[in-house]
Amino acid sequence: MRVAFAVLRGDPRGRVAALLGGATTAVGVLLVLWLVGAPAALDARESRAAWRSATAGEGQGALTVATTRDEFGGRWIERFDVTSAGGAVPVPAGIPRLPGPGEVLLSPALAALVREVPAERLGRRFPGAVVGEVGGAALRFPDELVAIVGHPHGTVAGTPRRDLVGAHRPDAADVGMLSLLSKVGLVVLVVPCLVLVASAGRLTAARRARRLAALRVAGATPGQALRLTAVEAAVGAVPGSVLGAVAAGPASRWAAEVPWGGGTWFPADFAPSPLTAGAVAVLASALLVGAAVLGHVRQRTVRRDAAPLGPGRWGLGRRGTGRWGVAGRLLFALVAAGVFGAGVVAAEVLGPRHHHVAVLVGLAGVVLALVVAGPVVTALVGRVVLRGRRGAWALLVGRRLATRPVAAFRASAGVLVAVFTGSLALTMLPVLEAEVRFDDGQWRPGAVVAHGVDGPWRVDVAREVVGPRWCR
């Protein structure tokens, strides 16, 4: 460790590489923590809204609740008309008390709208005196519009309940979809982060190789050189991981601005627990240090079976693949594609609880195959450029791509994975739009919309009331 820190003090480029590696590690840890916390954030959101659903087995009680959904300005208003036979009724956190006849509780966003908008447009929908607000502990998201209107006993036809606490039953479809999105994000995020950190470390690759060679000449053992490599990688990885884990809490307000299910989030929803943040930080540090050690070991064990000059067979010389031959890289790509295809087929057999696992394993294999098989394609492109011979630039570029395909591909590996991720997202968007039950409330003025109607919808009556032009 003393040697590593002494080298950093005397090597400006090494310090820059350590700073870049730490910064990229912090960003990667932060993004991973957000993705890991997405399902828990949705579960916390639904826990706050548990009071809206009746507990199992309730059929008789002193409380009656009628749930309806209204709309104003393209935004949904969740309305709950309540009536009580008397006595104390338990209420959840966020609701000060059960409103009595002629009393109304409004969420902060709805109360602000009622004050700003003329009464004939919105305020008269909630007859009574506003006696309090519905707090954030009873709202799904900060800007949710919720109204609880009290009525005299026996005037509300709704669901009899014992209390207003309810039971937590998260929407399985929403939880499953958000969990799948977070897992896909984790799969396609790990490889670009590793590529970015590795690119920062390659800024001083040549200088580090000369330094390690000098240490070996001075008498350093291979084990000492390996430990020195691990310490140099840990200098940037460990502080970056700690910084990302510490910043996850304050930075959760940025993740909370991403809309989902009709609104944004409370920042506390994405604040990770200390145990989760510590586990991700340790795993990220170990992964980056392990990658540096593996690269050092592979550099020592590169085969010297190809000529020092010239591209070698298929354009992959001794500076190309090391122990990875062309056949091995192509075979890895074929196996990854087969695993992905088998995962898609197995998704129909494994059931709803495990069918995502097979697809994610195949997707991870495809992402790795892009990086593994990339040098082969780079070498082939170099040979094509050399055969064209359209000038000095073609000779230089073709020779560079053909003789050092791995190093040449590293410069574009991050862009390639980013393009793959974007293409995957664009491909999944139509499927997600069909799977996620989404409704933004944007209807034409005067349109009549029915939600959750039991029994047949009388289209003929609707046409007589609103006219055939509005009935679809």
Side-chain angles (χ1 to χ4, degrees):
M1 293 185 65
R2 289 195 299 269
V3 173
F5 283 106
V7 169
L8 287 176
R9 285 195 299 269
D11 187 4
R13 292 186 180 181
R15 292 196 296 270
V16 172
L19 290 175
L20 291 177
T24 53
T25 303
V27 173
V29 169
L30 187 62
L31 294 176
V32 168
L33 286 174
W34 286 347
L35 291 173
V36 169
L42 184 59
D43 188 74
R45 170 188 280 190
E46 295 302 322
S47 296
R48 292 192 299 269
W51 60 273
R52 308 178 190 186
S53 59
T55 57
E58 286 188 347
Q60 299 294 331
L63 178 67
T64 303
V65 181
T67 304
T68 55
R69 172 176 283 186
D70 202 351
E71 184 267 345
F72 179 79
R75 300 173 62 184
W76 290 120
I77 301 176
E78 301 288 345
R79 173 169 176 160
F80 302 89
D81 295 277
V82 298
T83 178
S84 175
V89 176
V91 295
I95 298 179
R97 63 182 178 85
L98 188 73
E103 295 180 342
V104 180
L105 296 178
L106 301 178
S107 64
L110 183 55
L113 279 179
V114 169
R115 290 191 297 266
E116 297 172 0
V117 177
E120 60 271 12
R121 294 185 56 195
L122 182 61
R124 292 180 181 175
R125 302 185 188 183
F126 317 109
V130 179
V131 296
E133 290 187 349
V134 180
L139 300 176
R140 284 193 173 95
F141 46 88
D143 295 333
E144 189 178 19
L145 306 182
V146 176
I148 304 178
V149 184
H151 297 272
H153 178 61
T155 60
V156 173
T159 303
R161 296 177 55 174
R162 293 191 299 267
D163 52 48
L164 203 62
V165 178
H168 175 45
R169 292 195 300 269
D171 192 329
D174 289 344
V175 172
M177 185 57 62
L178 188 58
S179 177
L180 174 61
L181 290 177
S182 61
K183 291 176 182 177
V184 171
L186 285 173
V187 169
V188 299
L189 178 66
V190 171
V191 175
C193 287
L194 290 178
V195 171
L196 189 59
V197 174
S199 299
R202 281 192 297 271
L203 294 176
T204 58
R207 185 183 296 267
R208 184 170 60 252
R210 289 195 297 268
R211 183 169 61 249
L212 292 176
L215 291 174
R216 291 294 306 277
V217 172
T221 64
Q224 292 173 334
L226 184 65
R227 290 193 293 272
L228 180 61
T229 301
V231 171
E232 288 183 348
V235 167
V238 173
S241 299
V242 174
L243 178 61
V246 172
S252 59
R253 63 178 183 272
W254 298 336
E257 297 299 324
V258 178
W260 179 271
T264 56
W265 310 77
F266 288 98
D269 293 340
F270 280 93
S273 64
L275 181 61
T276 302
V280 172
V282 171
L283 182 60
S285 301
L287 188 62
L288 295 176
V289 173
V293 171
L294 180 61
H296 176 76
V297 173
R298 288 188 58 193
Q299 185 178 8
R300 289 175 47 205
T301 56
V302 170
R303 292 187 300 177
R304 307 293 180 174
D305 56 349
L309 299 177
R313 186 180 181 185
W314 294 100
L316 296 176
R318 74 176 181 92
R319 293 185 177 182
T321 62
R323 287 188 174 182
W324 278 95
V326 177
R329 291 177 179 266
L330 295 180
L331 180 62
F332 185 91
L334 292 177
V335 170
V339 171
F340 181 76
V344 174
V345 175
E348 300 294 335
V349 181
L350 295 178
R353 296 186 58 185
H354 305 287
H355 68 280
H356 293 159
V357 177
V359 178
L360 291 174
V361 171
L363 180 61
V366 171
V367 176
L368 290 176
L370 292 176
V371 180
V372 172
V376 177
V377 181
T378 303
L380 294 178
V381 171
R383 293 179 65 88
V384 172
V385 174
L386 283 175
R387 289 179 180 178
R389 297 191 181 276
R390 298 181 179 178
W393 69 270
L395 180 62
L396 294 175
V397 172
R399 177 64 65 176
R400 168 71 176 179
L401 297 178
T403 57
R404 302 189 63 183
V406 175
F409 174 73
R410 286 171 180 169
S412 59
V415 178
L416 175 64
V417 176
V419 171
F420 171 76
T421 304
S423 303
L424 179 66
L426 293 177
T427 304
M428 292 178 62
L429 282 178
V431 180
L432 295 178
E433 185 177 2
E435 291 290 336
V436 178
R437 293 172 298 184
F438 175 74
D439 199 347
D440 59 358
Q442 299 293 337
W443 302 99
R444 286 182 289 182
V448 177
V449 183
H451 289 274
V453 178
D454 295 328
W457 174 253
R458 294 294 303 276
V459 179
D460 52 346
V461 176
R463 288 196 177 122
E464 294 178 1
V465 175
V466 300
R469 186 170 65 92
W470 298 99
C471 190
R472 296 290 185 270

